[in-house]
Amino acid sequence: MSPTKATNPNRQSVISTAILLVLRLLTDTRYYWHLFSLIFLGEIALCALVIRYVAYTNIDYLAYTQQAALFLPPSNIRDYSQIQGGTGPLVYPALHLYIYSALHQLFPAASTYDVAGFVPDDKSDLEDARIAGGKTSLRQLQAIWAGVYLSTLLLVAFIYRGVISSIESRRPAAEKKEQAASRTATYGPDVRQSLVNLLLGSSPPLQPFLLLLPLSKRLHSIYMLRLFNDPLAMIVFYFAVLLLCKKQWHTGVAFYALALGIKMNILLFLPGLLVLLFQYKGAIGTIVSVGMIAIIQLLLPAPYFFSSRQSAQTYFASAFDFGREFLFKWSVNWRWLGEDTFLSKELKRGLLISHFVALILFAYFRWSSIIPGGTVTVLKRGLSSVQALGKAPISRGLESGLHIPFVLFTSNMLGILFARSLHYQFFSWYAHQLPFLLWLTRWPLIVCATLWVIVLWVWDSFPPSTPASFILFAIHAAVAFAIFWKGEIRSR
């Protein structure tokens, strides 16, 4: 009978040390940027591999440049309703058109490659050169979108770090001192059990949620393989969030308006932004900021599309078309309802009412719940007198690092939940926010990670399926309800 093998103490020590290092990387805020740097370096390599080895597929970029060509000389069309491409009329605001016009002028051959992405059997030397030039220009464009992807990831990392700093600032001084003194003993003698506790315990730290950000195949496709305009709007918006968290209100609002000038999905954040403006800037400050947003929306198209009142009306009717119809075959979120229900006016009306009610509930019960006295106190302070209209209802100033993303991202989440339809590229509207929203639920890390993987599976499934559509809706609803039930995190 063979003797029982004794456990190698050196091997056990190495394993325990490795687990401890992983735990510290995932939970010790001193190593936050170490963890992100590893993720960021991996993403740089992955973006390069995607561009090099995964085939580009034109979806909308060719249509964008066709529309840009009609805007640019020699066509010089200034009637927004007459600017059309292969996918239909131009339905995005002016800044979108200016950006893709500039790209079309800088990389004209990329549009040629969209059309001539194949190599004909009897190609000439001229055709060879045209295709080669188009492919080179396309790779350059993809590199730009890779830069947008990586820059967005960096901005989101700064926002997440601000959330963690805000949480730490809310802790009592005695608790901070105790935590600093016990860093080496935080996980106890059994590091494996500590890892289990991290995965299965409630209210996990935010830091390990960084690992969820780079896992989306769909998100890489939206950026590098499709060149959609959604990422351009979102990177400007995230920069605006970062500015707002730094209390740079006027600049932050201006960048918010610029993001809105690219795509109107940025309006989903507006209810939350209005609440924040009232809390931090008061009634008059809110009115001034809304006026700034409106003025920027007027200034962007004014040089080209305001030659008459009719042309201005045509612009806003096209760029901000709230009655736009969506195709059932591309709906990722409402496939489970069936086409007849999807196309019904009752669903459209029901979603609008539900969205409005959800916003009211969050605005009243959650977006001011962290403030002593809640919404009632905030309203009384901000509207009690003429003098109060110009003052912020928050007397000492609320820590903005957590509160501002909490309000803005939940506002957007409600818009996603009740959206008329979600197409594949719309995943970029909330993909970088969803790990944070999952963290707000206080569910165990393993549950949040599992839900994240399921969401990725839904968005990666093509074409949209009925079961996947219902699962996505159920997860969205569960996350929104859990956040509403538990409210903003006060300390962790």
Side-chain angles (χ1 to χ4, degrees), residues 5 25 33 63 137 167 241 286 321 406 416 423 455 487:
K5 292 183 179 180
L25 198 61
W33 290 111
S137 294
I167 288 289
V241 174
T286 302
D321 183 6
F406 171 77
I416 295 293
H423 293 182
V455 169

PDB file of all heavy atoms in Angstrom, residues 5 25 33 63 137 167 241 286 321 406 416 423 455 487:
ATOM      1  N   LYS A   5       0.716  10.767   0.425  1.00  0.00           N
ATOM      2  CA  LYS A   5       1.625  11.869   0.124  1.00  0.00           C
ATOM      3  C   LYS A   5       1.402  13.017   1.091  1.00  0.00           C
ATOM      4  O   LYS A   5       0.290  13.470   1.297  1.00  0.00           O
ATOM      5  CB  LYS A   5       1.422  12.361  -1.307  1.00  0.00           C
ATOM      6  CG  LYS A   5       1.854  11.332  -2.356  1.00  0.00           C
ATOM      7  CD  LYS A   5       1.707  11.913  -3.743  1.00  0.00           C
ATOM      8  CE  LYS A   5       2.163  10.924  -4.806  1.00  0.00           C
ATOM      9  NZ  LYS A   5       2.028  11.471  -6.167  1.00  0.00           N
ATOM     10  N   LEU A  25      -4.651  42.977  -4.823  1.00  0.00           N
ATOM     11  CA  LEU A  25      -4.814  43.672  -6.103  1.00  0.00           C
ATOM     12  C   LEU A  25      -6.282  44.019  -6.351  1.00  0.00           C
ATOM     13  O   LEU A  25      -6.599  45.065  -6.914  1.00  0.00           O
ATOM     14  CB  LEU A  25      -4.279  42.794  -7.226  1.00  0.00           C
ATOM     15  CG  LEU A  25      -3.969  43.463  -8.576  1.00  0.00           C
ATOM     16  CD1 LEU A  25      -2.889  44.526  -8.416  1.00  0.00           C
ATOM     17  CD2 LEU A  25      -3.537  42.418  -9.600  1.00  0.00           C
ATOM     18  N   TRP A  33      -4.627  51.475  -9.342  1.00  0.00           N
ATOM     19  CA  TRP A  33      -4.061  51.799 -10.645  1.00  0.00           C
ATOM     20  C   TRP A  33      -3.116  50.703 -11.144  1.00  0.00           C
ATOM     21  O   TRP A  33      -2.895  50.592 -12.362  1.00  0.00           O
ATOM     22  CB  TRP A  33      -3.348  53.147 -10.606  1.00  0.00           C
ATOM     23  CG  TRP A  33      -4.324  54.275 -10.465  1.00  0.00           C
ATOM     24  CD1 TRP A  33      -4.512  55.093  -9.389  1.00  0.00           C
ATOM     25  CD2 TRP A  33      -5.300  54.686 -11.436  1.00  0.00           C
ATOM     26  NE1 TRP A  33      -5.524  55.992  -9.625  1.00  0.00           N
ATOM     27  CE2 TRP A  33      -6.028  55.765 -10.871  1.00  0.00           C
ATOM     28  CE3 TRP A  33      -5.617  54.251 -12.720  1.00  0.00           C
ATOM     29  CZ2 TRP A  33      -7.058  56.407 -11.563  1.00  0.00           C
ATOM     30  CZ3 TRP A  33      -6.646  54.886 -13.408  1.00  0.00           C
ATOM     31  CH2 TRP A  33      -7.347  55.953 -12.828  1.00  0.00           C
ATOM     32  N   ALA A  63     -22.780  54.917 -44.879  1.00  0.00           N
ATOM     33  CA  ALA A  63     -23.923  55.838 -44.922  1.00  0.00           C
ATOM     34  C   ALA A  63     -23.553  57.188 -44.319  1.00  0.00           C
ATOM     35  O   ALA A  63     -23.949  58.243 -44.844  1.00  0.00           O
ATOM     36  CB  ALA A  63     -25.108  55.238 -44.171  1.00  0.00           C
ATOM     37  N   SER A 137      -6.462  53.282 -45.206  1.00  0.00           N
ATOM     38  CA  SER A 137      -7.245  54.336 -44.560  1.00  0.00           C
ATOM     39  C   SER A 137      -8.198  53.758 -43.530  1.00  0.00           C
ATOM     40  O   SER A 137      -8.399  54.332 -42.460  1.00  0.00           O
ATOM     41  CB  SER A 137      -8.043  55.114 -45.615  1.00  0.00           C
ATOM     42  OG  SER A 137      -7.184  55.821 -46.476  1.00  0.00           O
ATOM     43  N   ILE A 167     -16.349  57.092  -1.214  1.00  0.00           N
ATOM     44  CA  ILE A 167     -16.729  56.126  -0.179  1.00  0.00           C
ATOM     45  C   ILE A 167     -15.770  56.221   1.005  1.00  0.00           C
ATOM     46  O   ILE A 167     -16.182  56.239   2.176  1.00  0.00           O
ATOM     47  CB  ILE A 167     -16.726  54.701  -0.746  1.00  0.00           C
ATOM     48  CG1 ILE A 167     -17.912  54.511  -1.697  1.00  0.00           C
ATOM     49  CG2 ILE A 167     -16.773  53.664   0.361  1.00  0.00           C
ATOM     50  CD1 ILE A 167     -19.247  54.468  -1.024  1.00  0.00           C
ATOM     51  N   VAL A 241     -18.846  63.902 -17.281  1.00  0.00           N
ATOM     52  CA  VAL A 241     -19.080  63.352 -15.937  1.00  0.00           C
ATOM     53  C   VAL A 241     -17.881  63.606 -15.044  1.00  0.00           C
ATOM     54  O   VAL A 241     -18.015  64.013 -13.879  1.00  0.00           O
ATOM     55  CB  VAL A 241     -19.382  61.843 -16.014  1.00  0.00           C
ATOM     56  CG1 VAL A 241     -19.483  61.239 -14.607  1.00  0.00           C
ATOM     57  CG2 VAL A 241     -20.669  61.593 -16.773  1.00  0.00           C
ATOM     58  N   THR A 286     -29.516  76.099 -12.253  1.00  0.00           N
ATOM     59  CA  THR A 286     -30.102  75.086 -13.138  1.00  0.00           C
ATOM     60  C   THR A 286     -30.617  75.725 -14.413  1.00  0.00           C
ATOM     61  O   THR A 286     -30.382  75.223 -15.520  1.00  0.00           O
ATOM     62  CB  THR A 286     -31.246  74.345 -12.421  1.00  0.00           C
ATOM     63  OG1 THR A 286     -30.743  73.735 -11.223  1.00  0.00           O
ATOM     64  CG2 THR A 286     -31.848  73.282 -13.319  1.00  0.00           C
ATOM     65  N   ASP A 321     -35.543  63.467 -33.660  1.00  0.00           N
ATOM     66  CA  ASP A 321     -36.819  62.877 -34.066  1.00  0.00           C
ATOM     67  C   ASP A 321     -37.318  61.927 -32.975  1.00  0.00           C
ATOM     68  O   ASP A 321     -36.883  60.778 -32.890  1.00  0.00           O
ATOM     69  CB  ASP A 321     -36.640  62.128 -35.390  1.00  0.00           C
ATOM     70  CG  ASP A 321     -37.950  61.544 -35.902  1.00  0.00           C
ATOM     71  OD1 ASP A 321     -39.000  61.819 -35.288  1.00  0.00           O
ATOM     72  OD2 ASP A 321     -37.915  60.807 -36.905  1.00  0.00           O
ATOM     73  N   PHE A 406     -23.863  58.108  -9.466  1.00  0.00           N
ATOM     74  CA  PHE A 406     -25.058  57.383  -9.030  1.00  0.00           C
ATOM     75  C   PHE A 406     -26.309  57.950  -9.688  1.00  0.00           C
ATOM     76  O   PHE A 406     -27.132  57.213 -10.247  1.00  0.00           O
ATOM     77  CB  PHE A 406     -25.182  57.456  -7.510  1.00  0.00           C
ATOM     78  CG  PHE A 406     -26.489  56.927  -6.971  1.00  0.00           C
ATOM     79  CD1 PHE A 406     -26.718  55.570  -6.887  1.00  0.00           C
ATOM     80  CD2 PHE A 406     -27.487  57.805  -6.558  1.00  0.00           C
ATOM     81  CE1 PHE A 406     -27.927  55.080  -6.402  1.00  0.00           C
ATOM     82  CE2 PHE A 406     -28.699  57.325  -6.075  1.00  0.00           C
ATOM     83  CZ  PHE A 406     -28.920  55.961  -6.003  1.00  0.00           C
ATOM     84  N   ILE A 416     -32.674  53.050 -20.459  1.00  0.00           N
ATOM     85  CA  ILE A 416     -32.382  51.779 -21.122  1.00  0.00           C
ATOM     86  C   ILE A 416     -33.503  50.776 -20.858  1.00  0.00           C
ATOM     87  O   ILE A 416     -33.957  50.060 -21.758  1.00  0.00           O
ATOM     88  CB  ILE A 416     -31.039  51.215 -20.627  1.00  0.00           C
ATOM     89  CG1 ILE A 416     -29.869  52.130 -21.032  1.00  0.00           C
ATOM     90  CG2 ILE A 416     -30.816  49.790 -21.141  1.00  0.00           C
ATOM     91  CD1 ILE A 416     -29.613  52.194 -22.507  1.00  0.00           C
ATOM     92  N   HIS A 423     -30.894  48.567 -30.211  1.00  0.00           N
ATOM     93  CA  HIS A 423     -30.156  47.897 -31.269  1.00  0.00           C
ATOM     94  C   HIS A 423     -28.763  47.540 -30.743  1.00  0.00           C
ATOM     95  O   HIS A 423     -28.353  48.005 -29.683  1.00  0.00           O
ATOM     96  CB  HIS A 423     -30.057  48.786 -32.503  1.00  0.00           C
ATOM     97  CG  HIS A 423     -31.390  49.014 -33.160  1.00  0.00           C
ATOM     98  ND1 HIS A 423     -31.545  49.743 -34.320  1.00  0.00           N
ATOM     99  CD2 HIS A 423     -32.644  48.604 -32.824  1.00  0.00           C
ATOM    100  CE1 HIS A 423     -32.821  49.776 -34.665  1.00  0.00           C
ATOM    101  NE2 HIS A 423     -33.504  49.098 -33.776  1.00  0.00           N
ATOM    102  N   VAL A 455     -25.472  39.082 -19.612  1.00  0.00           N
ATOM    103  CA  VAL A 455     -25.756  40.272 -20.421  1.00  0.00           C
ATOM    104  C   VAL A 455     -24.864  40.291 -21.664  1.00  0.00           C
ATOM    105  O   VAL A 455     -25.338  40.575 -22.780  1.00  0.00           O
ATOM    106  CB  VAL A 455     -25.565  41.555 -19.591  1.00  0.00           C
ATOM    107  CG1 VAL A 455     -25.590  42.787 -20.490  1.00  0.00           C
ATOM    108  CG2 VAL A 455     -26.649  41.669 -18.530  1.00  0.00           C
ATOM    109  N   GLY A 487     -30.916  51.982  -2.415  1.00  0.00           N
ATOM    110  CA  GLY A 487     -30.487  53.368  -2.424  1.00  0.00           C
ATOM    111  C   GLY A 487     -28.997  53.535  -2.613  1.00  0.00           C
ATOM    112  O   GLY A 487     -28.250  52.588  -2.856  1.00  0.00           O
TER     113      GLY A 487
END
